[in-house]
Structures are given as C-alpha cells and as structure tokens.
Amino acid sequence: MPYSIMLDAGHGGTDPGAVSGGRQEKDDTLRLTLAIGEILQNSGLDVEYTRTTDVYETPYQKAMEANEAGVDYFVSIHRNSSPMENQYMGVESLVYDLSGIKYEMAQNINAQLETVGFVNLGVKARPNLVVLRRTRMPAVLVEVGFINSETDNRLFDQNFDAIARAIADGILETLNVESAEQRPQQYGYRVQVGAYRNSVYAERMLRELTEQDFPAYIDDSGQYDRVQVGNYRTLDEAVQMEQRLKRAGYPTVIVSVSAN
C-alpha cells in the first residue's frame, strides 16, 4: 500500500490569505498544491486534498478532514507576507516541534526550494497552529516565499514547475520514494517488520511504527499484508534502518524488491 498524503492549499473562498496588489495567496497556493499533487501521484503516492476549488474551510476542519481520512502525512502550502513591501524574502517551513520525520521533511523541502533560488529561512516550531497541533499525522506547513516580495514573486512565476517539483522531491526524499523522473530503478531494499493474514494486525503495527516516526507502510500486493519500512537505494541504507528498528524492539528482515 503506498504512502498517503493530504495536501492543503492555504486559505480559499472568503479568506484570500495574504494580499499584495491584485495578487491573493489563496490563488497561488491552490495552483501550486494541485501541481505538487500531480507529481506525487505520478510517483505512486495516494494524494488527497482539503480543497481543489476556491472554497473556504477552517483550519480545524482541515485537520479533522485529514484525521478522518487516515492519511500518513499532511502538507499545507502557503505564501508569507511582511509588514512592508520587499521587506523580507525567502522560504520557511513550520512544524509542531523540531523533531521526527516531519522536521526532516520540512528541512528537505526547504533545501530543495533553495536550489530553485529562494533564500532558505529555515524550519521553525509553531505548536499553536491548528493544522500542526490538531493533525494526528506528521504535518508540515510551507511558506513558499513572500507574496509582497518582488523577488519571490518573480521566482514563483518564472520557476513555477521547478518549485512544484522541489516541494514534491523534498517529500519523496524523506519517504525514500523514487520520483517518476528517477525511475526505473531496477532494485531497492526495504525493511520488513511483519507479514499478516489479518489486515487488522497489519494496520495496528503500521500505526505503532508511524507514531514513532518510522516511514512505514503496508504492501498488500501478495497473499499477506506486509508491514515494511522505507525504500532504500542501497543495502547500507537499509541496514541502518534495520538497526534502528531492532533497537526499538522489532523483529526485522531486509527484503530486495524490483521496481515495476
């Protein structure tokens, strides 16, 4: 079973978000979110959205929607703003606290956006934000440049496809998932923690692992539901994860897989 992710286009409907001239945050975020989602879907992720049109939901509604969907990850796309025009520029990502896979994902997204040309303002903890506090899965909020910065807007407009690719690559890198452009990879390695006839037991193990920030998922392509962690290019990477899982008390076996 592939990783699942809910993408949130910030604001919407009666809430335009940050505004600069005739530019509204809600429009930039929706366009970018849909582009990111297409890349992730093409790379094998199960993608859901809080919105695909110009509608408004409260942050609490968005968090509850993600919880009810039972997705593995939540990423919210925004644009920043400053008190004065052209006062600041750059990208930053926000997480509930600076730990776990959400922090790693935020760092990877920022690093990828830096390669596009944005100033990297780092990752910050924002435990008061509803979409980070009330979501049950690892969650990241990405501020893709300042909407009242001429430099950032020029980057956003001229490098739109590269920005969508950068954010998607930051997510895929964290999950050790090959992007569609990187395929085919003939072989890879995963760490298997269990194989179950009963899917209830597999789901229980999956929840236990993801709550500890292990990038786990269920492969249900065969007779058994196999709970596996990662998708590593090299055996050394898989061994490192296997050692982490063993220290946490899990039985493990490294399996070699062929790319489809």
Side-chain angles (χ1 to χ4, degrees), residues 245-259:
L245 287 161
K246 283 184 174 179
R247 287 195 296 269
Y250 294 102
T252 62
V253 59
I254 294 177
V255 295
S256 176
V257 294
S258 299

Side-chain angles (χ1 to χ4, degrees), residues 5-19:
I5 187 167
M6 181 163 283
L7 298 179
D8 168 42
H11 308 283
T14 56
D15 175 16
V19 176

Side-chain angles (χ1 to χ4, degrees), residues 25 34 38 79 86 109 111 113 139-140 152 192 199 201 211 214 220 241 243:
E25 182 181 2
L34 294 175
E38 183 177 358
R79 302 232 29 221
N86 299 307
I109 290 171
L113 287 170
V140 179
D152 282 353
Q192 186 163 301
S199 63
Y201 298 130
E211 284 172 1
F214 286 111
D220 59 0
M241 176 55 73
Q243 291 172 345

Side-chain angles (χ1 to χ4, degrees), residues 8-34 51 53-55 62 76-82 92 94 129 131 141-148 153 156-157 160:
D8 168 42
H11 308 283
T14 56
D15 175 16
V19 176
S20 180
R23 189 170 195 139
Q24 299 185 91
E25 182 181 2
K26 68 173 184 175
D27 299 326
D28 283 356
T29 60
L30 180 58
R31 181 172 165 236
L32 183 57
T33 297
L34 294 175
R51 69 181 181 102
T53 59
D54 186 20
V55 296
K62 292 179 176 184
S76 185
I77 304 299
H78 287 255
R79 302 232 29 221
N80 220 330
S81 185
S82 56
E92 65 178 357
L94 311 177
L129 294 180
V131 293
L141 188 152
V142 187
E143 298 276 12
V144 189
F146 284 77
I147 201 168
N148 57 354
N153 284 338
F156 190 95
D157 294 335
F160 179 83

Side-chain angles (χ1 to χ4, degrees), residues 91-95 98 102 105-107 109-110 113 120-126 132 140-143:
V91 296
E92 65 178 357
S93 290
L94 311 177
V95 292
L98 303 181
K102 62 186 180 298
M105 182 178 289
Q107 290 177 306
I109 290 171
N110 278 18
L113 287 170
N120 186 349
L121 300 175
V123 180
K124 299 176 176 64
R126 291 289 188 274
L132 303 180
V140 179
L141 188 152
V142 187
E143 298 276 12

Side-chain angles (χ1 to χ4, degrees), residues 199-216:
S199 63
V200 172
Y201 298 130
E203 293 287 348
R204 184 181 301 166
M205 177 59 73
L206 176 67
R207 286 195 300 272
E208 183 177 319
L209 290 167
T210 55
E211 284 172 1
Q212 298 175 75
D213 287 328
F214 286 111

Side-chain angles (χ1 to χ4, degrees), residues 106-118:
Q107 290 177 306
N108 288 338
I109 290 171
N110 278 18
Q112 291 287 345
L113 287 170
E114 191 174 3
T115 68
V116 179
F118 284 108

